[in-house]
Amino acid sequence: MKADPRLLLPGRLVAVPVAGAVLAEALAWGLAAAPGTLSPAWYAVPRLLSAVHLLTLGALSLSIVGFGWQLVPVVTAEAPPPWFEGLARWVNRLAAPGVALLCLGMLGQPPHPVTVLGATLLVGTLVLRSGGVVVLLLRARGRPAVRGWLLAAELCLLVGLGLGASLLAGRLGHPVLPDPIGGIGWHAALLLLGWVGGWIGGLGSVLLPMFAVAPTPRSGALGLAGLLWFGGLATGQVVVWSLGAVVLVASLLWSVHRRVQRRLSVGIATAVCGLVGLLALVGASGRATSPTVAAVALVLFVLPVLRGVTLRIGPFLLWSHHLAQDLRRAPPVASLVPRWPARGAGALAVLGGLLVVGGLASQQFSIGRLGAGLAFLGTLAHGAVLLTAAVRAALARNRLDALGGTEHP
Amino acid sequence: MSLLNWIKNALQQDVPNNPAVFELPGEAGQLLAALRHVIDPEVGSDIVSMGLVRGLELDGAAARLRMTLTTPGCPMAGYLLSEVEQVFAAFGIEVDIDLEFEPPWSPAHMSDQGRADVEAGE
């Protein structure tokens, strides 16, 4: 078997949506921190609805879209066909504007018609993207448990998007669902836990060992976790889903525990916080109100995991694109990331998240606003860290070019 | 077996005998030593100490190298293998690299030096 250099896709395919994700998250927290946004009747408050969707459709979806372009070939261990890059470029061009229009339109009461244009753009691009990803996953061999998680995640995406479109139609005066409130719950569960959670579960077993130099979780354990996770979601059985979550977290944390790298990088540590947040979600499910559970899922589980992944993989990809041609003289990947600002950004995000959840659970919305403000600052810091890594990579490349040639023993 | 140990065994991937090669006699040994200059940038250890090299056969000016990567589908693979080819080229040897992923690489395949390199690089 030979290595295929086409496994490294053009950097812009990842960078553009991930940049959009960071911007969307900052806007979301800024909106949430504004007076009057956080409310118990969250579905009825346009600003909160918009903020939630900036987090979900913006920060989460664009992160998965962006990293997915590079990580699907890693999972399949095959260079993607030429049409995959073309698909990526078109999805990237249209998905972020779709998110922007959708969330902008949601600020209206009722939603502005531009919401329909945004929804059409976004749903269309995500469905096309999903089709491309599914084709690659079905064609691949190996890693059956990982591919199973991702395929199930994509199915959740399609159903979740359909529910979302139906809910939007209802808000625009064309009700489709007999039970819109129930539909909201399914929509949120399928997208947050099914799609985003599915990608976290599927890729976690690949990325955590890769970047923490750790043993791979057992395929059987991952498969069992997947059956319980998606089976519980599909049937609405919280206990079954919770068992799947516990098996998943146990597998991943056990792998991290057995790592060779003693000190966890900031990215992996942030992602591990998110896995602990998943256990908090298991604890909250069935015991707290739906908005609180949704907040725990969003703010304590998926956002920290995706932020951690961004912090770990982003600089690695930057290094790969700028410096890998000169392995001998290139500085280490870790040198691209300013360590303390990255830790500060992570701490602000985690603390902010805890305050948001605490504020919602206790109906003390001033605490929630404080949390949103801290999370906003954390997101700005996170963006600054990624930008710094990009600048450092470019400067290091310039230095190597100035030195000229390539050293050999 | 206690319940806790049963759970640990259930979660942990089985690790067969280590297929990695860390020392070889003669000229092959010299080439293996030269491969210790090829560093995995993510891990901070060389590919030999990491247990990525699984076999090396020499036949005059040609060589066949069996090796693995920490994960199939690693986007860095092309660059890493290019480094390996350059090491052999410096000896005037044309190398045919065979990537194999069975058994999959595990940190258990690393040498003590490899583990020390990882910890030193933190």
mmCIF file of all heavy atoms in Angstrom, chain A residues 119-158:
data_model
loop_
_atom_site.group_PDB
_atom_site.id
_atom_site.type_symbol
_atom_site.label_atom_id
_atom_site.label_comp_id
_atom_site.label_asym_id
_atom_site.label_seq_id
_atom_site.Cartn_x
_atom_site.Cartn_y
_atom_site.Cartn_z
ATOM 1 N N ALA A 119 -32.691 29.395 4.815
ATOM 2 C CA ALA A 119 -32.953 27.981 5.092
ATOM 3 C C ALA A 119 -32.765 27.138 3.833
ATOM 4 O O ALA A 119 -32.201 26.043 3.885
ATOM 5 C CB ALA A 119 -34.370 27.804 5.630
ATOM 6 N N THR A 120 -33.223 27.657 2.726
ATOM 7 C CA THR A 120 -33.094 26.902 1.466
ATOM 8 C C THR A 120 -31.628 26.696 1.116
ATOM 9 O O THR A 120 -31.201 25.590 0.755
ATOM 10 C CB THR A 120 -33.799 27.660 0.323
ATOM 11 O OG1 THR A 120 -35.147 27.909 0.706
ATOM 12 C CG2 THR A 120 -33.770 26.858 -0.962
ATOM 13 N N LEU A 121 -30.864 27.784 1.216
ATOM 14 C CA LEU A 121 -29.423 27.688 0.923
ATOM 15 C C LEU A 121 -28.752 26.678 1.845
ATOM 16 O O LEU A 121 -28.003 25.805 1.398
ATOM 17 C CB LEU A 121 -28.750 29.049 1.139
ATOM 18 C CG LEU A 121 -28.715 30.020 -0.033
ATOM 19 C CD1 LEU A 121 -28.051 31.314 0.408
ATOM 20 C CD2 LEU A 121 -27.999 29.421 -1.224
ATOM 21 N N LEU A 122 -29.045 26.814 3.128
ATOM 22 C CA LEU A 122 -28.356 25.991 4.108
ATOM 23 C C LEU A 122 -28.752 24.524 3.983
ATOM 24 O O LEU A 122 -27.902 23.631 3.936
ATOM 25 C CB LEU A 122 -28.660 26.495 5.519
ATOM 26 C CG LEU A 122 -27.898 25.793 6.640
ATOM 27 C CD1 LEU A 122 -26.401 25.971 6.466
ATOM 28 C CD2 LEU A 122 -28.339 26.338 7.991
ATOM 29 N N VAL A 123 -30.059 24.281 3.938
ATOM 30 C CA VAL A 123 -30.517 22.893 3.844
ATOM 31 C C VAL A 123 -30.008 22.259 2.544
ATOM 32 O O VAL A 123 -29.524 21.124 2.535
ATOM 33 C CB VAL A 123 -32.050 22.812 3.930
ATOM 34 C CG1 VAL A 123 -32.532 21.413 3.588
ATOM 35 C CG2 VAL A 123 -32.526 23.206 5.322
ATOM 36 N N GLY A 124 -30.107 23.000 1.472
ATOM 37 C CA GLY A 124 -29.636 22.473 0.189
ATOM 38 C C GLY A 124 -28.170 22.093 0.224
ATOM 39 O O GLY A 124 -27.777 20.992 -0.202
ATOM 40 N N THR A 125 -27.335 22.992 0.767
ATOM 41 C CA THR A 125 -25.898 22.706 0.776
ATOM 42 C C THR A 125 -25.576 21.565 1.740
ATOM 43 O O THR A 125 -24.725 20.722 1.444
ATOM 44 C CB THR A 125 -25.086 23.948 1.159
ATOM 45 O OG1 THR A 125 -25.601 24.503 2.369
ATOM 46 C CG2 THR A 125 -25.141 25.001 0.074
ATOM 47 N N LEU A 126 -26.252 21.537 2.897
ATOM 48 C CA LEU A 126 -25.954 20.466 3.842
ATOM 49 C C LEU A 126 -26.394 19.107 3.301
ATOM 50 O O LEU A 126 -25.736 18.085 3.531
ATOM 51 C CB LEU A 126 -26.615 20.733 5.196
ATOM 52 C CG LEU A 126 -25.987 21.855 6.027
ATOM 53 C CD1 LEU A 126 -26.731 22.023 7.354
ATOM 54 C CD2 LEU A 126 -24.512 21.597 6.291
ATOM 55 N N VAL A 127 -27.508 19.082 2.590
ATOM 56 C CA VAL A 127 -27.956 17.818 2.003
ATOM 57 C C VAL A 127 -26.968 17.349 0.925
ATOM 58 O O VAL A 127 -26.604 16.175 0.875
ATOM 59 C CB VAL A 127 -29.376 17.963 1.423
ATOM 60 C CG1 VAL A 127 -29.737 16.761 0.569
ATOM 61 C CG2 VAL A 127 -30.396 18.125 2.548
ATOM 62 N N LEU A 128 -26.532 18.274 0.105
ATOM 63 C CA LEU A 128 -25.546 17.909 -0.934
ATOM 64 C C LEU A 128 -24.263 17.399 -0.285
ATOM 65 O O LEU A 128 -23.694 16.381 -0.700
ATOM 66 C CB LEU A 128 -25.214 19.128 -1.788
ATOM 67 C CG LEU A 128 -26.173 19.424 -2.930
ATOM 68 C CD1 LEU A 128 -25.770 20.711 -3.635
ATOM 69 C CD2 LEU A 128 -26.213 18.271 -3.933
ATOM 70 N N ARG A 129 -23.824 18.122 0.726
ATOM 71 C CA ARG A 129 -22.602 17.722 1.432
ATOM 72 C C ARG A 129 -22.766 16.340 2.034
ATOM 73 O O ARG A 129 -21.883 15.492 1.937
ATOM 74 C CB ARG A 129 -22.291 18.750 2.532
ATOM 75 C CG ARG A 129 -21.217 18.278 3.511
ATOM 76 C CD ARG A 129 -21.471 18.823 4.886
ATOM 77 N NE ARG A 129 -20.862 17.980 5.874
ATOM 78 C CZ ARG A 129 -21.480 16.966 6.465
ATOM 79 N NH1 ARG A 129 -22.730 16.686 6.168
ATOM 80 N NH2 ARG A 129 -20.848 16.222 7.362
ATOM 81 N N SER A 130 -23.932 16.135 2.648
ATOM 82 C CA SER A 130 -24.196 14.850 3.269
ATOM 83 C C SER A 130 -24.137 13.728 2.241
ATOM 84 O O SER A 130 -23.576 12.661 2.500
ATOM 85 C CB SER A 130 -25.572 14.883 3.949
ATOM 86 O OG SER A 130 -25.779 13.721 4.688
ATOM 87 N N GLY A 131 -24.701 13.986 1.079
ATOM 88 C CA GLY A 131 -24.654 12.977 0.020
ATOM 89 C C GLY A 131 -23.228 12.610 -0.348
ATOM 90 O O GLY A 131 -22.891 11.423 -0.469
ATOM 91 N N GLY A 132 -22.383 13.624 -0.507
ATOM 92 C CA GLY A 132 -20.990 13.364 -0.850
ATOM 93 C C GLY A 132 -20.267 12.590 0.236
ATOM 94 O O GLY A 132 -19.518 11.638 -0.040
ATOM 95 N N VAL A 133 -20.493 12.974 1.475
ATOM 96 C CA VAL A 133 -19.839 12.297 2.604
ATOM 97 C C VAL A 133 -20.292 10.846 2.699
ATOM 98 O O VAL A 133 -19.483 9.931 2.887
ATOM 99 C CB VAL A 133 -20.143 13.058 3.914
ATOM 100 C CG1 VAL A 133 -19.765 12.235 5.127
ATOM 101 C CG2 VAL A 133 -19.405 14.396 3.929
ATOM 102 N N VAL A 134 -21.591 10.623 2.546
ATOM 103 C CA VAL A 134 -22.128 9.266 2.646
ATOM 104 C C VAL A 134 -21.550 8.378 1.548
ATOM 105 O O VAL A 134 -21.198 7.216 1.798
ATOM 106 C CB VAL A 134 -23.669 9.299 2.590
ATOM 107 C CG1 VAL A 134 -24.231 7.908 2.345
ATOM 108 C CG2 VAL A 134 -24.228 9.883 3.883
ATOM 109 N N VAL A 135 -21.429 8.898 0.349
ATOM 110 C CA VAL A 135 -20.858 8.109 -0.750
ATOM 111 C C VAL A 135 -19.448 7.656 -0.394
ATOM 112 O O VAL A 135 -19.084 6.494 -0.550
ATOM 113 C CB VAL A 135 -20.850 8.926 -2.062
ATOM 114 C CG1 VAL A 135 -19.943 8.281 -3.110
ATOM 115 C CG2 VAL A 135 -22.264 9.063 -2.611
ATOM 116 N N LEU A 136 -18.642 8.570 0.112
ATOM 117 C CA LEU A 136 -17.265 8.216 0.470
ATOM 118 C C LEU A 136 -17.222 7.199 1.602
ATOM 119 O O LEU A 136 -16.415 6.261 1.591
ATOM 120 C CB LEU A 136 -16.473 9.471 0.872
ATOM 121 C CG LEU A 136 -15.600 10.080 -0.222
ATOM 122 C CD1 LEU A 136 -16.422 10.510 -1.408
ATOM 123 C CD2 LEU A 136 -14.814 11.268 0.322
ATOM 124 N N LEU A 137 -18.082 7.383 2.596
ATOM 125 C CA LEU A 137 -18.081 6.463 3.729
ATOM 126 C C LEU A 137 -18.544 5.065 3.311
ATOM 127 O O LEU A 137 -18.012 4.058 3.788
ATOM 128 C CB LEU A 137 -18.987 6.995 4.842
ATOM 129 C CG LEU A 137 -18.475 8.240 5.581
ATOM 130 C CD1 LEU A 137 -19.558 8.775 6.524
ATOM 131 C CD2 LEU A 137 -17.205 7.943 6.363
ATOM 132 N N LEU A 138 -19.522 5.001 2.427
ATOM 133 C CA LEU A 138 -20.020 3.691 2.001
ATOM 134 C C LEU A 138 -19.005 2.958 1.139
ATOM 135 O O LEU A 138 -18.928 1.729 1.168
ATOM 136 C CB LEU A 138 -21.336 3.860 1.234
ATOM 137 C CG LEU A 138 -22.565 4.217 2.072
ATOM 138 C CD1 LEU A 138 -23.767 4.475 1.171
ATOM 139 C CD2 LEU A 138 -22.893 3.105 3.078
ATOM 140 N N ARG A 139 -18.240 3.711 0.373
ATOM 141 C CA ARG A 139 -17.246 3.080 -0.517
ATOM 142 C C ARG A 139 -16.032 2.573 0.243
ATOM 143 O O ARG A 139 -15.301 1.712 -0.235
ATOM 144 C CB ARG A 139 -16.763 4.093 -1.564
ATOM 145 C CG ARG A 139 -17.709 4.316 -2.709
ATOM 146 C CD ARG A 139 -17.266 5.324 -3.729
ATOM 147 N NE ARG A 139 -15.949 5.897 -3.563
ATOM 148 C CZ ARG A 139 -15.413 6.727 -4.466
ATOM 149 N NH1 ARG A 139 -16.084 7.025 -5.559
ATOM 150 N NH2 ARG A 139 -14.223 7.255 -4.285
ATOM 151 N N ALA A 140 -15.786 3.135 1.429
ATOM 152 C CA ALA A 140 -14.540 2.830 2.138
ATOM 153 C C ALA A 140 -14.585 1.443 2.770
ATOM 154 O O ALA A 140 -15.648 0.829 2.921
ATOM 155 C CB ALA A 140 -14.294 3.886 3.206
ATOM 156 N N ARG A 141 -13.408 0.969 3.142
ATOM 157 C CA ARG A 141 -13.259 -0.298 3.878
ATOM 158 C C ARG A 141 -12.594 0.018 5.209
ATOM 159 O O ARG A 141 -11.869 0.988 5.337
ATOM 160 C CB ARG A 141 -12.375 -1.277 3.092
ATOM 161 C CG ARG A 141 -12.957 -1.711 1.771
ATOM 162 C CD ARG A 141 -14.055 -2.730 1.955
ATOM 163 N NE ARG A 141 -14.662 -3.097 0.688
ATOM 164 C CZ ARG A 141 -15.716 -2.488 0.164
ATOM 165 N NH1 ARG A 141 -16.302 -1.480 0.776
ATOM 166 N NH2 ARG A 141 -16.204 -2.887 -0.991
ATOM 167 N N GLY A 142 -12.816 -0.849 6.174
ATOM 168 C CA GLY A 142 -12.147 -0.656 7.463
ATOM 169 C C GLY A 142 -12.907 0.313 8.353
ATOM 170 O O GLY A 142 -13.796 1.038 7.929
ATOM 171 N N ARG A 143 -12.499 0.335 9.622
ATOM 172 C CA ARG A 143 -13.096 1.214 10.645
ATOM 173 C C ARG A 143 -14.626 1.153 10.596
ATOM 174 O O ARG A 143 -15.299 2.195 10.496
ATOM 175 C CB ARG A 143 -12.637 2.658 10.453
ATOM 176 C CG ARG A 143 -11.196 2.897 10.884
ATOM 177 C CD ARG A 143 -10.815 4.337 10.665
ATOM 178 N NE ARG A 143 -9.572 4.649 11.324
ATOM 179 C CZ ARG A 143 -8.691 5.521 10.857
ATOM 180 N NH1 ARG A 143 -8.913 6.140 9.711
ATOM 181 N NH2 ARG A 143 -7.580 5.769 11.528
ATOM 182 N N PRO A 144 -15.228 -0.017 10.678
ATOM 183 C CA PRO A 144 -16.689 -0.113 10.542
ATOM 184 C C PRO A 144 -17.439 0.653 11.623
ATOM 185 O O PRO A 144 -18.480 1.260 11.339
ATOM 186 C CB PRO A 144 -16.961 -1.618 10.628
ATOM 187 C CG PRO A 144 -15.769 -2.188 11.317
ATOM 188 C CD PRO A 144 -14.614 -1.337 10.938
ATOM 189 N N ALA A 145 -16.923 0.631 12.850
ATOM 190 C CA ALA A 145 -17.638 1.312 13.933
ATOM 191 C C ALA A 145 -17.623 2.824 13.713
ATOM 192 O O ALA A 145 -18.640 3.502 13.877
ATOM 193 C CB ALA A 145 -17.015 0.967 15.285
ATOM 194 N N VAL A 146 -16.481 3.352 13.318
ATOM 195 C CA VAL A 146 -16.363 4.801 13.074
ATOM 196 C C VAL A 146 -17.281 5.212 11.922
ATOM 197 O O VAL A 146 -18.033 6.187 12.020
ATOM 198 C CB VAL A 146 -14.904 5.184 12.745
ATOM 199 C CG1 VAL A 146 -14.804 6.645 12.335
ATOM 200 C CG2 VAL A 146 -14.003 4.917 13.941
ATOM 201 N N ARG A 147 -17.232 4.433 10.849
ATOM 202 C CA ARG A 147 -18.074 4.778 9.687
ATOM 203 C C ARG A 147 -19.542 4.642 10.041
ATOM 204 O O ARG A 147 -20.380 5.427 9.589
ATOM 205 C CB ARG A 147 -17.703 3.905 8.494
ATOM 206 C CG ARG A 147 -16.325 4.246 7.915
ATOM 207 C CD ARG A 147 -16.055 3.566 6.590
ATOM 208 N NE ARG A 147 -15.995 2.129 6.695
ATOM 209 C CZ ARG A 147 -16.820 1.299 6.054
ATOM 210 N NH1 ARG A 147 -17.748 1.782 5.259
ATOM 211 N NH2 ARG A 147 -16.686 0.004 6.211
ATOM 212 N N GLY A 148 -19.864 3.653 10.882
ATOM 213 C CA GLY A 148 -21.253 3.491 11.312
ATOM 214 C C GLY A 148 -21.744 4.710 12.069
ATOM 215 O O GLY A 148 -22.864 5.191 11.845
ATOM 216 N N TRP A 149 -20.918 5.208 12.984
ATOM 217 C CA TRP A 149 -21.284 6.415 13.735
ATOM 218 C C TRP A 149 -21.552 7.578 12.775
ATOM 219 O O TRP A 149 -22.542 8.301 12.904
ATOM 220 C CB TRP A 149 -20.151 6.814 14.694
ATOM 221 C CG TRP A 149 -20.258 6.235 16.068
ATOM 222 C CD1 TRP A 149 -19.844 5.005 16.484
ATOM 223 C CD2 TRP A 149 -20.815 6.863 17.224
ATOM 224 N NE1 TRP A 149 -20.103 4.833 17.819
ATOM 225 C CE2 TRP A 149 -20.689 5.953 18.304
ATOM 226 C CE3 TRP A 149 -21.404 8.116 17.461
ATOM 227 C CZ2 TRP A 149 -21.140 6.255 19.592
ATOM 228 C CZ3 TRP A 149 -21.845 8.411 18.748
ATOM 229 C CH2 TRP A 149 -21.715 7.483 19.796
ATOM 230 N N LEU A 150 -20.657 7.768 11.824
ATOM 231 C CA LEU A 150 -20.791 8.926 10.928
ATOM 232 C C LEU A 150 -21.987 8.780 9.992
ATOM 233 O O LEU A 150 -22.678 9.756 9.697
ATOM 234 C CB LEU A 150 -19.495 9.124 10.128
ATOM 235 C CG LEU A 150 -18.247 9.417 10.965
ATOM 236 C CD1 LEU A 150 -17.034 9.655 10.075
ATOM 237 C CD2 LEU A 150 -18.465 10.614 11.870
ATOM 238 N N LEU A 151 -22.232 7.565 9.515
ATOM 239 C CA LEU A 151 -23.389 7.358 8.631
ATOM 240 C C LEU A 151 -24.694 7.612 9.395
ATOM 241 O O LEU A 151 -25.607 8.263 8.881
ATOM 242 C CB LEU A 151 -23.371 5.945 8.045
ATOM 243 C CG LEU A 151 -22.318 5.717 6.956
ATOM 244 C CD1 LEU A 151 -22.146 4.239 6.663
ATOM 245 C CD2 LEU A 151 -22.689 6.475 5.672
ATOM 246 N N ALA A 152 -24.768 7.109 10.618
ATOM 247 C CA ALA A 152 -25.958 7.348 11.436
ATOM 248 C C ALA A 152 -26.106 8.843 11.730
ATOM 249 O O ALA A 152 -27.227 9.379 11.741
ATOM 250 C CB ALA A 152 -25.868 6.559 12.747
ATOM 251 N N ALA A 153 -24.975 9.505 11.937
ATOM 252 C CA ALA A 153 -25.022 10.949 12.192
ATOM 253 C C ALA A 153 -25.617 11.690 11.000
ATOM 254 O O ALA A 153 -26.433 12.600 11.154
ATOM 255 C CB ALA A 153 -23.609 11.478 12.497
ATOM 256 N N GLU A 154 -25.214 11.284 9.810
ATOM 257 C CA GLU A 154 -25.726 11.972 8.619
ATOM 258 C C GLU A 154 -27.224 11.719 8.446
ATOM 259 O O GLU A 154 -27.959 12.601 7.992
ATOM 260 C CB GLU A 154 -24.960 11.516 7.373
ATOM 261 C CG GLU A 154 -23.506 11.985 7.352
ATOM 262 C CD GLU A 154 -23.384 13.492 7.435
ATOM 263 O OE1 GLU A 154 -24.057 14.195 6.633
ATOM 264 O OE2 GLU A 154 -22.634 13.987 8.297
ATOM 265 N N LEU A 155 -27.684 10.539 8.808
ATOM 266 C CA LEU A 155 -29.124 10.272 8.744
ATOM 267 C C LEU A 155 -29.866 11.191 9.715
ATOM 268 O O LEU A 155 -30.917 11.752 9.378
ATOM 269 C CB LEU A 155 -29.388 8.807 9.084
ATOM 270 C CG LEU A 155 -30.852 8.366 9.063
ATOM 271 C CD1 LEU A 155 -31.455 8.578 7.675
ATOM 272 C CD2 LEU A 155 -30.981 6.892 9.475
ATOM 273 N N CYS A 156 -29.303 11.355 10.910
ATOM 274 C CA CYS A 156 -29.909 12.275 11.891
ATOM 275 C C CYS A 156 -29.947 13.696 11.343
ATOM 276 O O CYS A 156 -30.913 14.435 11.564
ATOM 277 C CB CYS A 156 -29.130 12.243 13.201
ATOM 278 S SG CYS A 156 -29.289 10.713 14.112
ATOM 279 N N LEU A 157 -28.895 14.082 10.630
ATOM 280 C CA LEU A 157 -28.865 15.424 10.048
ATOM 281 C C LEU A 157 -30.041 15.621 9.097
ATOM 282 O O LEU A 157 -30.754 16.625 9.163
ATOM 283 C CB LEU A 157 -27.554 15.640 9.297
ATOM 284 C CG LEU A 157 -27.487 16.912 8.441
ATOM 285 C CD1 LEU A 157 -27.464 18.161 9.309
ATOM 286 C CD2 LEU A 157 -26.266 16.900 7.515
ATOM 287 N N LEU A 158 -30.236 14.657 8.221
ATOM 288 C CA LEU A 158 -31.280 14.809 7.205
ATOM 289 C C LEU A 158 -32.660 14.892 7.849
ATOM 290 O O LEU A 158 -33.481 15.742 7.478
ATOM 291 C CB LEU A 158 -31.209 13.643 6.212
ATOM 292 C CG LEU A 158 -29.913 13.574 5.409
ATOM 293 C CD1 LEU A 158 -29.883 12.356 4.495
ATOM 294 C CD2 LEU A 158 -29.702 14.843 4.581
#
